[in-house]
Amino acid sequence: ILDLCAAPGGKSSLIAAYLKGQGLLVSNEVIKSRSQILRQNIVREGWSNIIATCNDPADFKVLGSYFDVVFVDAPCSGEGMFRKDKNAIGHWSIDAVQQCTMRQKRILSDIFPVVKPGGYIVYSTCTFNEEENIRQVSWMTKAHALKSIPMDISHFSGIIPMYLDECIGYQFLPHRTRSEGFFISILQKGNEEQSSSNIKPKKTIMRATKEEQSYFKSWNINKLNGIYKNHLSKLMFFPEKYVADAEKMLSSHYVIHCGLEIGAIKGIDLVPSHELAYFPETKNFFNVWQVSKGEALKFLKKDISDTSNLTPGWQLVCYGGNGIGWIKNIGTRLNNYLPQEYAIRMSLNNLGADF
Protein backbone atom coordinates (compact mmCIF):
# COMPACT_ATOMS: atom_id res chain seq x y z
CA ILE A 1 0.00 0.00 0.00
CA LEU A 2 1.19 3.52 -0.82
CA ASP A 3 -0.08 6.53 1.12
CA LEU A 4 1.15 9.13 -1.34
CA CYS A 5 0.32 12.42 0.41
CA ALA A 6 0.66 11.16 3.95
CA ALA A 7 1.64 13.99 6.32
CA PRO A 8 0.93 14.43 9.13
CA GLY A 9 0.17 10.70 9.26
CA GLY A 10 -3.45 10.12 10.26
CA LYS A 11 -4.27 7.94 7.25
CA SER A 12 -1.05 5.97 7.54
CA SER A 13 -1.73 5.35 11.23
CA LEU A 14 -5.18 4.00 10.38
CA ILE A 15 -3.83 1.83 7.56
CA ALA A 16 -1.04 0.47 9.78
CA ALA A 17 -3.56 -0.43 12.49
CA TYR A 18 -5.63 -2.26 9.88
CA LEU A 19 -2.60 -4.19 8.55
CA LYS A 20 -1.48 -5.25 12.08
CA GLY A 21 2.10 -5.80 10.94
CA GLN A 22 1.18 -7.67 7.74
CA GLY A 23 1.89 -6.44 4.22
CA LEU A 24 4.01 -3.37 3.43
CA LEU A 25 3.02 0.28 3.82
CA VAL A 26 4.98 3.01 2.08
CA SER A 27 4.09 6.37 3.60
CA ASN A 28 5.23 9.34 1.50
CA GLU A 29 5.30 13.12 1.87
CA VAL A 30 6.83 15.34 -0.81
CA ILE A 31 7.37 18.42 1.39
CA LYS A 32 10.53 17.88 3.43
CA SER A 33 9.47 19.84 6.53
CA ARG A 34 6.17 17.95 6.72
CA SER A 35 7.92 14.62 6.16
CA GLN A 36 9.60 14.89 9.57
CA ILE A 37 6.21 15.27 11.26
CA LEU A 38 5.09 12.21 9.33
CA ARG A 39 8.12 10.23 10.52
CA GLN A 40 7.45 11.11 14.17
CA ASN A 41 3.88 9.87 13.91
CA ILE A 42 4.90 6.72 12.03
CA VAL A 43 7.39 5.90 14.79
CA ARG A 44 4.63 6.18 17.39
CA GLU A 45 2.68 3.41 15.65
CA GLY A 46 5.39 0.89 16.58
CA TRP A 47 5.06 -1.35 13.50
CA SER A 48 7.98 -2.90 11.61
CA ASN A 49 6.33 -3.02 8.16
CA ILE A 50 6.38 0.71 7.32
CA ILE A 51 8.76 2.62 5.07
CA ALA A 52 8.48 6.42 5.05
CA THR A 53 9.76 8.42 2.08
CA CYS A 54 10.07 12.02 0.93
CA ASN A 55 9.60 11.93 -2.83
CA ASP A 56 7.69 13.46 -5.73
CA PRO A 57 4.87 11.24 -7.06
CA ALA A 58 6.73 10.85 -10.37
CA ASP A 59 9.64 9.19 -8.54
CA PHE A 60 7.56 6.06 -7.94
CA LYS A 61 7.27 5.24 -11.65
CA VAL A 62 10.58 3.35 -11.53
CA LEU A 63 8.87 0.68 -9.43
CA GLY A 64 6.59 -0.37 -12.29
CA SER A 65 3.14 -1.79 -11.48
CA TYR A 66 3.91 -2.27 -7.81
CA PHE A 67 1.15 -1.28 -5.36
CA ASP A 68 -2.16 -3.00 -4.70
CA VAL A 69 -3.66 0.21 -3.30
CA VAL A 70 -2.60 3.85 -3.59
CA PHE A 71 -4.18 6.50 -1.37
CA VAL A 72 -4.08 9.99 -2.90
CA ASP A 73 -5.27 12.61 -0.42
CA ALA A 74 -4.57 15.32 -2.95
CA PRO A 75 -3.51 18.93 -2.27
CA CYS A 76 -6.65 20.99 -2.73
CA SER A 77 -8.28 24.40 -2.23
CA GLY A 78 -9.28 23.43 1.31
CA GLU A 79 -12.92 24.51 1.36
CA GLY A 80 -13.66 21.76 3.86
CA MET A 81 -11.34 23.47 6.35
CA PHE A 82 -13.16 26.84 6.39
CA ARG A 83 -15.06 25.98 9.58
CA LYS A 84 -11.91 24.78 11.32
CA ASP A 85 -9.34 27.27 9.99
CA LYS A 86 -10.47 30.83 9.22
CA ASN A 87 -7.13 31.51 7.47
CA ALA A 88 -8.11 28.96 4.82
CA ILE A 89 -10.82 31.35 3.63
CA GLY A 90 -8.28 34.05 2.86
CA HIS A 91 -6.17 31.63 0.80
CA TRP A 92 -9.10 30.58 -1.41
CA SER A 93 -9.61 31.89 -4.94
CA ILE A 94 -10.90 30.66 -8.28
CA ASP A 95 -7.30 30.67 -9.52
CA ALA A 96 -6.32 28.48 -6.56
CA VAL A 97 -9.03 25.98 -7.47
CA GLN A 98 -7.78 25.85 -11.06
CA GLN A 99 -4.17 25.43 -9.95
CA CYS A 100 -5.16 22.64 -7.57
CA THR A 101 -7.10 20.91 -10.32
CA MET A 102 -4.07 20.89 -12.62
CA ARG A 103 -1.77 19.72 -9.79
CA GLN A 104 -4.16 16.86 -8.98
CA LYS A 105 -4.20 15.75 -12.62
CA ARG A 106 -0.40 15.66 -12.67
CA ILE A 107 -0.22 13.67 -9.44
CA LEU A 108 -2.82 11.15 -10.60
CA SER A 109 -1.17 10.74 -14.01
CA ASP A 110 2.22 10.19 -12.36
CA ILE A 111 0.90 7.60 -9.92
CA PHE A 112 -1.36 5.62 -12.30
CA PRO A 113 1.50 3.45 -13.68
CA VAL A 114 2.52 2.17 -10.23
CA VAL A 115 -0.88 0.61 -9.49
CA LYS A 116 -1.08 -3.11 -10.19
CA PRO A 117 -3.66 -4.35 -12.71
CA GLY A 118 -6.87 -4.79 -10.74
CA GLY A 119 -5.50 -2.52 -7.99
CA TYR A 120 -7.14 0.55 -6.53
CA ILE A 121 -6.67 4.30 -6.20
CA VAL A 122 -8.48 5.88 -3.25
CA TYR A 123 -8.80 9.56 -4.17
CA SER A 124 -9.78 12.19 -1.61
CA THR A 125 -9.73 15.95 -1.03
CA CYS A 126 -10.76 18.25 1.80
CA THR A 127 -12.78 20.50 -0.48
CA PHE A 128 -16.33 20.81 -1.87
CA ASN A 129 -16.24 22.03 -5.48
CA GLU A 130 -16.97 19.62 -8.31
CA GLU A 131 -13.85 20.56 -10.31
CA GLU A 132 -11.54 18.95 -7.75
CA ASN A 133 -13.91 16.17 -6.80
CA ILE A 134 -16.42 14.31 -8.97
CA ARG A 135 -15.25 15.97 -12.21
CA GLN A 136 -11.71 14.89 -11.39
CA VAL A 137 -12.94 11.32 -10.90
CA SER A 138 -14.73 11.44 -14.26
CA TRP A 139 -11.56 12.71 -15.92
CA MET A 140 -9.55 9.83 -14.43
CA THR A 141 -11.93 7.19 -15.75
CA LYS A 142 -11.60 8.61 -19.26
CA ALA A 143 -7.90 9.52 -19.27
CA HIS A 144 -6.58 6.39 -17.57
CA ALA A 145 -9.20 3.68 -18.08
CA LEU A 146 -10.12 3.48 -14.42
CA LYS A 147 -13.49 2.24 -13.18
CA SER A 148 -15.40 4.10 -10.48
CA ILE A 149 -16.31 1.73 -7.63
CA PRO A 150 -19.31 2.35 -5.31
CA MET A 151 -19.04 2.00 -1.54
CA ASP A 152 -21.64 0.64 0.86
CA ILE A 153 -22.70 3.59 3.01
CA SER A 154 -25.98 2.11 4.18
CA HIS A 155 -24.80 1.99 7.80
CA PHE A 156 -23.81 5.68 7.82
CA SER A 157 -26.01 8.75 7.77
CA GLY A 158 -25.33 12.17 6.31
CA ILE A 159 -22.98 11.15 3.50
CA ILE A 160 -23.99 12.61 0.12
CA PRO A 161 -23.35 10.47 -3.01
CA MET A 162 -22.12 12.58 -5.95
CA TYR A 163 -22.74 11.34 -9.51
CA LEU A 164 -21.33 12.32 -12.90
CA ASP A 165 -21.39 10.19 -16.05
CA GLU A 166 -20.86 6.65 -14.69
CA CYS A 167 -18.82 7.84 -11.71
CA ILE A 168 -19.64 8.10 -8.04
CA GLY A 169 -17.96 9.84 -5.13
CA TYR A 170 -18.99 10.75 -1.61
CA GLN A 171 -19.18 14.19 -0.04
CA PHE A 172 -18.87 14.67 3.71
CA LEU A 173 -20.22 17.96 5.06
CA PRO A 174 -19.36 19.01 8.63
CA HIS A 175 -22.95 19.88 9.53
CA ARG A 176 -24.18 16.43 8.41
CA THR A 177 -21.36 14.06 9.42
CA ARG A 178 -19.00 13.94 12.41
CA SER A 179 -16.04 15.15 10.37
CA GLU A 180 -14.55 18.11 8.63
CA GLY A 181 -15.57 18.59 5.01
CA PHE A 182 -14.06 16.19 2.52
CA PHE A 183 -14.67 14.07 -0.59
CA ILE A 184 -13.65 10.47 -1.34
CA SER A 185 -13.91 8.12 -4.30
CA ILE A 186 -12.52 4.68 -5.19
CA LEU A 187 -11.22 3.77 -8.64
CA GLN A 188 -10.04 0.41 -9.92
CA LYS A 189 -7.43 -0.19 -12.59
CA GLY A 190 -8.21 -2.55 -15.45
CA ASN A 191 -6.46 -5.87 -15.98
CA GLU A 192 -3.90 -4.51 -18.39
CA GLU A 193 -0.38 -5.84 -18.73
CA GLN A 194 1.76 -5.36 -15.63
CA SER A 195 4.99 -3.39 -16.03
CA SER A 196 8.11 -4.45 -14.14
CA SER A 197 10.74 -2.48 -12.28
CA ASN A 198 14.16 -1.75 -13.76
CA ILE A 199 15.74 -0.95 -10.40
CA LYS A 200 19.00 -2.69 -9.64
CA PRO A 201 19.38 -2.36 -5.87
CA LYS A 202 22.57 -0.53 -4.91
CA LYS A 203 21.91 -0.61 -1.18
CA THR A 204 21.39 -3.66 0.96
CA ILE A 205 19.98 -4.25 4.41
CA MET A 206 22.57 -6.15 6.43
CA ARG A 207 21.42 -9.01 8.63
CA ALA A 208 22.65 -8.76 12.21
CA THR A 209 25.52 -11.11 13.03
CA LYS A 210 25.10 -14.05 15.42
CA GLU A 211 27.14 -12.13 17.98
CA GLU A 212 24.86 -9.09 17.67
CA GLN A 213 21.78 -11.23 17.88
CA SER A 214 23.14 -12.92 21.01
CA TYR A 215 22.56 -9.66 22.88
CA PHE A 216 18.85 -10.28 22.52
CA LYS A 217 18.95 -13.38 24.72
CA SER A 218 18.75 -11.23 27.83
CA TRP A 219 15.70 -9.53 26.31
CA ASN A 220 13.91 -12.77 25.48
CA ILE A 221 13.27 -11.65 21.90
CA ASN A 222 15.98 -13.63 20.11
CA LYS A 223 13.27 -15.90 18.64
CA LEU A 224 11.91 -13.09 16.46
CA ASN A 225 13.01 -13.22 12.83
CA GLY A 226 14.05 -10.25 10.74
CA ILE A 227 16.82 -8.58 12.79
CA TYR A 228 18.94 -6.32 10.60
CA LYS A 229 21.24 -3.29 10.85
CA ASN A 230 20.34 0.09 9.43
CA HIS A 231 22.78 2.60 7.95
CA LEU A 232 23.59 3.90 11.46
CA SER A 233 24.49 0.37 12.59
CA LYS A 234 21.47 0.32 14.88
CA LEU A 235 19.59 -2.94 15.06
CA MET A 236 16.11 -3.04 13.58
CA PHE A 237 13.17 -5.33 12.85
CA PHE A 238 11.94 -5.61 9.29
CA PRO A 239 9.74 -8.33 7.72
CA GLU A 240 12.03 -10.72 5.88
CA LYS A 241 9.41 -11.10 3.16
CA TYR A 242 9.88 -7.45 2.15
CA VAL A 243 13.65 -7.00 2.44
CA ALA A 244 14.07 -6.96 -1.36
CA ASP A 245 11.32 -4.32 -1.58
CA ALA A 246 13.05 -2.21 1.05
CA GLU A 247 16.34 -2.44 -0.81
CA LYS A 248 14.59 -1.19 -3.96
CA MET A 249 13.19 1.77 -2.06
CA LEU A 250 16.54 2.55 -0.43
CA SER A 251 18.22 2.45 -3.85
CA SER A 252 15.73 4.65 -5.70
CA HIS A 253 14.00 6.90 -3.15
CA TYR A 254 14.77 9.24 -0.28
CA VAL A 255 13.90 7.02 2.68
CA ILE A 256 13.46 8.71 6.06
CA HIS A 257 12.24 5.68 8.02
CA CYS A 258 12.46 1.95 7.45
CA GLY A 259 11.28 -0.79 9.77
CA LEU A 260 11.35 -0.66 13.56
CA GLU A 261 14.52 0.46 15.30
CA ILE A 262 14.99 -1.78 18.33
CA GLY A 263 18.27 -0.74 19.88
CA ALA A 264 22.00 -0.14 19.69
CA ILE A 265 24.91 -2.02 21.22
CA LYS A 266 26.83 0.22 23.61
CA GLY A 267 29.82 -1.45 25.24
CA ILE A 268 28.53 -4.73 26.66
CA ASP A 269 24.93 -3.54 26.84
CA LEU A 270 22.08 -3.45 24.36
CA VAL A 271 20.15 -0.20 24.83
CA PRO A 272 16.52 -0.41 23.61
CA SER A 273 15.30 2.21 21.18
CA HIS A 274 12.41 4.45 22.15
CA GLU A 275 10.63 3.13 19.05
CA LEU A 276 10.65 -0.38 20.53
CA ALA A 277 8.48 0.81 23.41
CA TYR A 278 5.63 1.36 20.93
CA PHE A 279 5.88 -2.12 19.35
CA PRO A 280 2.71 -4.01 20.45
CA GLU A 281 4.61 -7.24 21.25
CA THR A 282 7.29 -5.62 23.41
CA LYS A 283 5.29 -5.98 26.61
CA ASN A 284 5.47 -9.76 26.13
CA PHE A 285 9.28 -9.76 26.34
CA PHE A 286 10.13 -7.25 29.08
CA ASN A 287 9.38 -6.45 32.68
CA VAL A 288 6.46 -4.04 32.55
CA TRP A 289 5.74 -1.15 34.90
CA GLN A 290 2.04 -0.32 34.58
CA VAL A 291 1.57 3.29 35.64
CA SER A 292 -1.35 5.51 36.53
CA LYS A 293 -2.15 8.65 34.58
CA GLY A 294 -0.28 10.79 37.13
CA GLU A 295 2.78 8.51 37.03
CA ALA A 296 2.71 8.48 33.23
CA LEU A 297 2.69 12.29 33.14
CA LYS A 298 5.59 12.44 35.59
CA PHE A 299 7.54 9.98 33.45
CA LEU A 300 6.82 12.08 30.36
CA LYS A 301 8.05 15.10 32.31
CA LYS A 302 11.37 13.21 32.71
CA ASP A 303 10.55 12.60 36.38
CA ILE A 304 10.07 9.29 38.21
CA SER A 305 8.02 8.73 41.33
CA ASP A 306 8.67 6.00 43.94
CA THR A 307 9.66 2.84 42.05
CA SER A 308 11.45 0.98 44.85
CA ASN A 309 9.54 -2.22 44.08
CA LEU A 310 10.80 -2.47 40.50
CA THR A 311 13.03 -5.39 39.53
CA PRO A 312 16.59 -4.64 38.30
CA GLY A 313 17.25 -3.93 34.64
CA TRP A 314 15.10 -2.54 31.85
CA GLN A 315 11.45 -1.74 32.52
CA LEU A 316 8.89 -0.95 29.85
CA VAL A 317 6.70 1.89 31.11
CA CYS A 318 3.08 1.21 30.11
CA TYR A 319 -0.03 3.33 30.43
CA GLY A 320 -3.39 1.92 29.44
CA GLY A 321 -1.69 -1.24 28.15
CA ASN A 322 0.53 0.69 25.71
CA GLY A 323 4.28 1.25 25.98
CA ILE A 324 5.36 4.87 26.36
CA GLY A 325 9.10 4.55 27.09
CA TRP A 326 11.89 2.99 29.13
CA ILE A 327 13.52 3.22 32.52
CA LYS A 328 16.46 1.18 33.81
CA ASN A 329 16.92 0.15 37.41
CA ILE A 330 20.67 -0.09 37.98
CA GLY A 331 20.39 -0.60 41.73
CA THR A 332 21.66 2.74 42.99
CA ARG A 333 19.35 4.82 40.82
CA LEU A 334 16.74 4.76 38.06
CA ASN A 335 17.49 6.19 34.61
CA ASN A 336 14.70 7.67 32.50
CA TYR A 337 15.42 6.98 28.80
CA LEU A 338 12.65 9.14 27.37
CA PRO A 339 14.16 11.22 24.51
CA GLN A 340 14.17 14.91 25.35
CA GLU A 341 12.12 15.76 22.25
CA TYR A 342 9.26 13.64 23.62
CA ALA A 343 9.29 15.24 27.07
CA ILE A 344 6.44 17.41 28.36
CA ARG A 345 7.60 21.01 28.76
CA MET A 346 4.52 22.55 30.38
CA SER A 347 4.01 22.56 34.13
CA LEU A 348 2.00 19.57 35.37
CA ASN A 349 0.21 21.94 37.75
CA ASN A 350 -1.60 23.35 34.71
CA LEU A 351 -3.41 20.02 34.37
CA GLY A 352 -5.43 20.74 37.52
CA ALA A 353 -7.81 18.03 38.70
CA ASP A 354 -6.91 15.67 35.85
CA PHE A 355 -3.48 15.28 37.39
Side-chain angles (χ1 to χ4, degrees):
I1 295 176
L2 170 63
D3 185 2
L4 183 67
C5 312
K11 294 180 302 300
S12 287
S13 297
L14 189 63
I15 296 165
Y18 171 79
L19 291 175
K20 290 184 171 61
Q22 303 300 310
L24 179 66
L25 171 61
V26 177
S27 188
N28 179 74
E29 173 55 46
V30 66
I31 301 173
K32 191 171 184 180
S33 59
R34 285 169 56 83
S35 70
Q36 295 308 309
I37 299 170
L38 171 65
R39 185 191 180 280
Q40 290 176 15
N41 287 322
I42 288 297
V43 165
R44 289 187 176 99
E45 293 307 304
W47 297 107
S48 62
N49 62 326
I50 305 177
I51 298 173
T53 58
C54 180
N55 284 89
D56 186 85
D59 296 339
F60 289 93
K61 290 180 181 179
V62 297
L63 297 172
S65 304
Y66 187 75
F67 294 102
D68 295 286
V69 185
V70 176
F71 287 82
V72 182
D73 188 24
C76 67
S77 57
E79 295 158 355
M81 296 290 104
F82 286 180
R83 183 178 71 93
K84 179 181 178 181
D85 182 6
K86 300 303 181 184
N87 292 327
I89 299 174
H91 295 150
W92 187 92
S93 68
I94 292 177
D95 285 343
V97 171
Q98 293 173 343
Q99 290 172 8
C100 288
T101 301
M102 296 306 297
R103 186 184 300 120
Q104 291 154 5
K105 282 183 168 61
R106 182 188 73 83
I107 291 171
L108 291 163
S109 295
D110 285 340
I111 213 65
F112 173 79
V114 308
V115 182
K116 289 181 181 178
Y120 297 88
I121 293 176
V122 180
Y123 175 73
S124 61
T125 71
C126 57
T127 199
F128 298 138
N129 68 81
E130 290 188 354
E131 292 300 319
E132 298 177 73
N133 292 341
I134 193 64
R135 290 189 180 279
Q136 202 70 285
V137 173
S138 177
W139 171 81
M140 283 189 279
T141 62
K142 296 170 183 175
H144 297 294
L146 289 158
K147 182 181 179 182
S148 179
I149 304 295
M151 294 192 292
D152 180 8
I153 59 171
S154 59
H155 298 292
F156 303 93
S157 61
I159 303 171
I160 303 173
M162 307 292 289
Y163 300 95
L164 180 64
D165 302 326
E166 297 182 356
C167 300
I168 185 170
Y170 302 88
Q171 190 75 63
F172 292 68
L173 303 176
H175 68 290
R176 296 189 57 167
T177 57
R178 295 180 61 187
S179 67
E180 300 301 331
F182 69 96
F183 171 88
I184 189 168
S185 185
I186 299 176
L187 297 114
Q188 186 176 24
K189 191 173 185 178
N191 291 316
E192 57 192 56
E193 185 177 349
Q194 183 164 343
S195 61
S196 59
S197 168
N198 295 320
I199 299 173
K200 294 181 179 180
K202 300 175 183 178
K203 296 183 179 180
T204 58
I205 298 178
M206 302 295 293
R207 182 179 289 276
T209 65
K210 289 184 178 180
E211 180 182 1
E212 289 165 334
Q213 293 192 45
S214 70
Y215 281 81
F216 290 90
K217 291 181 180 179
S218 61
W219 281 7
N220 249 352
I221 60 175
N222 55 306
K223 294 181 181 179
L224 291 182
N225 295 320
I227 300 176
Y228 297 89
K229 289 187 292 188
N230 64 18
H231 65 289
L232 298 174
S233 295
K234 292 183 178 180
L235 299 176
M236 56 178 279
F237 285 149
F238 194 79
E240 293 190 3
K241 181 179 179 181
Y242 294 105
V243 168
D245 299 88
E247 290 175 344
K248 281 184 180 181
M249 298 299 299
L250 289 165
S251 301
S252 58
H253 292 71
Y254 180 41
V255 174
I256 58 175
H257 174 82
C258 182
L260 175 71
E261 186 180 303
I262 54 178
I265 298 171
K266 296 185 178 180
I268 60 172
D269 200 8
L270 182 58
V271 178
S273 165
H274 184 67
E275 293 183 24
L276 185 62
Y278 298 125
F279 183 51
E281 297 297 320
T282 299
K283 55 181 175 286
N284 297 327
F285 306 123
F286 284 89
N287 292 320
V288 172
W289 179 31
Q290 294 283 357
V291 297
S292 65
K293 182 176 181 180
E295 289 170 327
L297 290 169
K298 283 185 177 180
F299 170 78
L300 295 171
K301 186 68 176 173
K302 295 284 286 184
D303 188 11
I304 302 176
S305 58
D306 181 19
T307 56
S308 56
N309 294 325
L310 293 179
T311 56
W314 293 103
Q315 311 284 325
L316 175 65
V317 184
C318 284
Y319 173 66
N322 298 309
I324 59 174
W326 300 97
I327 61 170
K328 188 178 184 183
N329 182 357
I330 61 173
T332 56
R333 70 176 187 274
L334 293 161
N335 293 336
N336 186 332
Y337 279 78
L338 182 75
Q340 191 61 46
E341 60 268 27
Y342 287 87
I344 295 175
R345 295 185 179 91
M346 67 181 288
S347 170
L348 295 183
N349 294 329
N350 294 339
L351 297 174
D354 286 342
F355 176 61

